[in-house]
């Protein structure tokens, strides 16, 4: 399936790299994996893959471009994936080639080892992948993809351990960055998170079977019971014989879960760290209203990600909530290939203003983030064209001033609006009556940290806001593509 150009609205949002899902001990595992991936589609819409194992015929795989609903619902595809164990992956490329992904870059990846085959699906980003890849190639490894995740398969192949889980431990001890992994052998389902637990992974039970997933919403779609989160630095190995076995293969560290999962990435019907994502986002809106009140007639979300925060803002401020912007639910990423005239319509292809509601009103617009600022400009123009008297932007996250290197597709720092402008300069650039972001402390309070952010020991990974990276992005530093704020400025600059 050919990838059509992404829409301008999509280009101005941060994108999660991928979602992972696995199941063991069920009939027709591939059908459950496809349903799970469908629930995780928000984490990656570019491509997906499923690998299963059937004792009589071995491993089976299918990798396709496009959405799960368009590829893994066809009988002709699903019949090629027999077995009671399977894993799957949906992706949006970060480390691989953007916009021109080859099918060989689509996960899960598979490797044949002396003790049998294994497949692996990875959510996150390996920050020392370039150095590892160079080392492995020098030692004779032949890479088939552009993905950083393939390094794990090659590291496993070079391990001298006697079984797949131990080889995986060996490999992941060499890896830096963020990883939540779902893997499988002929008889085992494996889940593992890095020591910081940057990306999510949960464990569920389905009758006598077990499930691993990036989010709890994917458990709900197949009727599985949420058991618990896979803990930071934990590996779980699941088999019919031994059930769930847990180990701690990495040096123990203070967890740094990605705080942006609460703000935007995860689905609002998921549970993170025992908290409803929806309730957290509503609480963000409450904090935002306390910190940045506005005199206005209505509060409108920028759909859909701004909706819970807008509800919270309305509840706290007493300003009525209204659906002033309507989203076209049928305008997907694989819409008709746009002509230049259609492309210039910008976000109007996805969003339309409820003119009768907006005309003459002072409007508070609540959005989840500002990245490049292009979408904010277009939406402001739409609201003013509809006759709004005033436009006040309220943003349910702090200013995004630094790129992410742990599995989120982020523009280079100089393309981040908040990295080059003050809040007042951004307000002037966008052309609104007022602009305010929630503070970092306010965001922490909304996610349950009553005292706000512990600056000496932050409770989350918030590098995109603070510039404080819990793992140094060594590849990017070596390539000269990023200088951290704590690094000395070279002489002459």
């Amino acid at each position: 399936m050919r990838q059509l150009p992404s829409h301008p609205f999509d280009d101005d949002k941060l994108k999660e790299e991928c979602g992972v899902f696995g199941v063991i001990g069920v009939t027709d595992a591939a059908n459950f994996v496809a349903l799970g991936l469908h629930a995780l589609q928000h984490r990656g819409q570019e491509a997906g893959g499923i690998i299963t194992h059937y004792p009589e015929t071995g491993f089976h795989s299918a990798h396709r471009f496009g959405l799960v609903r368009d590829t893994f619902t066809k009988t002709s595809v699903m019949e090629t994936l027999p077995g009671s164990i399977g894993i799957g992956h949906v992706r949006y490329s970060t480390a691989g080639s953007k916009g021109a992904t080859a099918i060989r870059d689509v996960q899960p990846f598979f490797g044949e080892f002396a003790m049998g085959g294994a497949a692996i699906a990875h959510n996150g980003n390996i920050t020392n992948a370039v150095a590892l890849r160079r080392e492995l190639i020098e030692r004779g490894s032949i890479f088939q993809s552009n993905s950083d995740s393939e390094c794990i398969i090659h590291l496993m192949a070079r391990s001298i351990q006697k079984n797949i889980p131990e080889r995986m431990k060996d490999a992941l001890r060499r890896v830096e960055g963020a990883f939540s992994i779902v893997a499988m052998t002929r008889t085992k389902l494996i889940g593992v998170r890095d020591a910081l637990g940057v990306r999510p992974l949960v464990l569920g039970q389905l009758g006598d079977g077990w499930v691993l997933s990036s989010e709890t919403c994917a458990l709900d779609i197949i009727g599985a019971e949420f058991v618990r989160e896979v803990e930071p630095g934990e590996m779980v190995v699941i088999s019919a014989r031994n059930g769930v076995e847990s180990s701690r293969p990495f040096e123990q560290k203070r967890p740094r879960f990605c705080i942006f999962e609460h703000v935007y990435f995860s689905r609002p019907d998921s549970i993170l760290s025992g908290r409803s994502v929806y309730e957290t986002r509503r609480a963000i809106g409450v904090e935002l209203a306390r910190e940045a009140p506005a005199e206005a007639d209505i509060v409108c979300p920028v759909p859909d990600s701004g909706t819970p925060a807008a509800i919270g803002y309305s509840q706290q401020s007493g300003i009525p909530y209204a659906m002033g912007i309507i989203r076209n639910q049928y305008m997907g990423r694989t819409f008709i290939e746009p002509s230049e005239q259609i492309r210039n319509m910008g976000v109007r292809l996805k969003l339309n203003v409820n003119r009768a509601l907006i005309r003459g009103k002072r409007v508070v617009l609540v959005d989840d983030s500002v990245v490049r600022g292009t979408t904010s400009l277009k939406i402001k123009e739409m609201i003013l064209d509809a006759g709004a008297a005033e436009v006040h932007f309220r943003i349910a996250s702090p200013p995004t001033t630094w790129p992410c290197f742990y599995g989120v597709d982020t523009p280079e720092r100089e393309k981040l609006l908040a990295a080059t402008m003050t809040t007042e300069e951004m307000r002037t650039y966008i052309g609104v009556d007022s602009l305010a972001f929630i503070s970092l402390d306010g965001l922490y309070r909304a996610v349950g940290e009553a005292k706000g952010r512990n600056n000496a020991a932050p409770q989350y990974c918030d590098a995109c806001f603070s510039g404080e990276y819990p793992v140094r992005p060594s590849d990017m530093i070596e390539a000269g593509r990023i200088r951290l704020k704590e690094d000395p400025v070279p002489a002459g600059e």
Side-chain angles (χ1 to χ4, degrees), residues 15-20 43 122-125 177-181 192-194 196-202 213-214 229-233 256-262 265-266 272 404-409 461:
K15 301 180 184 71
E16 172 59 89
E17 181 186 52
C18 54
V20 293
R43 301 184 75 89
H122 167 216
N123 174 24
N125 233 37
F179 54 84
S180 282
I181 288 171
V192 57
R193 289 177 77 188
D194 66 81
L196 296 177
V198 177
R199 306 252 69 86
L201 188 64
V202 299
S213 174
S214 290
E229 294 184 354
V230 177
E231 296 181 5
R256 298 286 296 276
F257 183 63
C258 172
I259 201 166
F260 216 85
E261 289 278 356
H262 287 286
F265 296 136
S266 294
L272 292 177
C404 175
F405 302 110
Y406 307 132
V408 178
D409 184 50
C461 176

Side-chain angles (χ1 to χ4, degrees), residues 3-6 10-11 13-17 46 65 91-102 104-105 124-125 145-148 333 372 403-412 415 476 481:
Q3 285 299 102
L4 301 181
S6 60
D10 297 310
D11 291 341
K13 291 290 182 181
L14 299 182
K15 301 180 184 71
E16 172 59 89
E17 181 186 52
E46 186 178 38
F65 289 124
R91 88 187 296 264
Y92 180 87
S93 62
T94 57
S97 55
K98 295 179 177 66
T101 301
R104 65 177 179 270
D105 294 325
N125 233 37
S145 77
N146 292 312
S147 173
D148 60 337
R333 290 176 58 87
R372 293 180 177 91
C404 175
F405 302 110
Y406 307 132
V408 178
D409 184 50
T410 315
E412 296 174 352
K415 295 180 181 178
M476 304 299 289
R481 294 180 60 186

Side-chain angles (χ1 to χ4, degrees), residues 62-77:
H63 298 79
R64 299 287 189 275
F65 289 124
L67 302 178
V68 174
R69 72 184 183 202
D70 297 327
T71 53
F72 291 105
T73 55
K74 298 176 181 178
T75 303
S76 59
V77 175

Side-chain angles (χ1 to χ4, degrees), residues 48-70:
I50 297 175
I51 293 181
T52 63
H53 182 268
Y54 187 61
E56 295 180 10
T57 52
F59 287 92
H60 299 261
S61 67
H63 298 79
R64 299 287 189 275
F65 289 124
L67 302 178
V68 174
R69 72 184 183 202
D70 297 327

Side-chain angles (χ1 to χ4, degrees), residues 180 191-193 196-205 210-216 219 225-236 244 246-248 255-258 261-262 266 270-277 460:
S180 282
V192 57
R193 289 177 77 188
L196 296 177
V198 177
R199 306 252 69 86
L201 188 64
V202 299
L203 173 68
Q205 190 164 15
W210 295 89
V211 186
L212 291 168
S213 174
S214 290
E215 293 184 39
T216 61
L219 303 181
E225 178 186 355
F226 170 62
V227 176
R228 64 177 178 87
E229 294 184 354
V230 177
E231 296 181 5
E234 181 185 17
M235 173 183 278
V236 292
V244 180
S246 173
S247 63
R248 300 280 181 163
R256 298 286 296 276
F257 183 63
C258 172
E261 289 278 356
H262 287 286
S266 294
S270 284
I271 304 294
L272 292 177
S273 305
R275 293 177 59 87
S276 158
V277 174
Y460 288 87

Side-chain angles (χ1 to χ4, degrees), residues 346-463:
V347 298
R348 295 177 189 269
L349 288 172
K350 279 202 166 181
L351 303 176
N352 192 42
V353 176
N354 189 342
R355 290 175 173 269
L357 188 65
I358 292 294
R359 187 177 296 113
K361 300 290 198 316
R362 298 171 297 172
V363 181
V364 175
L365 284 177
V366 181
D367 203 356
D368 59 88
S369 60
V370 172
V371 183
R372 293 180 177 91
T374 53
T375 296
S376 300
L377 276 167
K378 294 288 187 182
I379 291 173
K380 178 267 301 185
E381 291 171 1
M382 291 166 60
I383 294 292
L384 289 179
D385 286 348
E390 296 177 6
V391 180
H392 302 272
F393 253 115
R394 294 296 181 266
I395 310 301
S397 62
T400 303
T401 52
W402 294 84
C404 175
F405 302 110
Y406 307 132
V408 178
D409 184 50
T410 315
E412 296 174 352
R413 187 161 193 252
E414 57 268 23
K415 295 180 181 178
L416 295 169
L417 197 67
T420 59
M421 295 183 184
T422 66
T423 300
E424 177 58 23
E425 288 170 338
M426 284 189 281
R427 184 200 68 77
T428 302
Y429 171 76
I430 297 171
V432 290
D433 293 277
S434 69
L435 170 67
F437 298 79
I438 193 171
S439 68
L440 197 49
D441 272 335
L443 178 57
Y444 269 78
R445 286 192 292 270
V447 298
E449 301 291 342
K451 295 182 179 180
R453 185 180 193 262
N454 181 346
N455 293 321
Q459 306 94 312
Y460 288 87
C461 176
D462 55 25

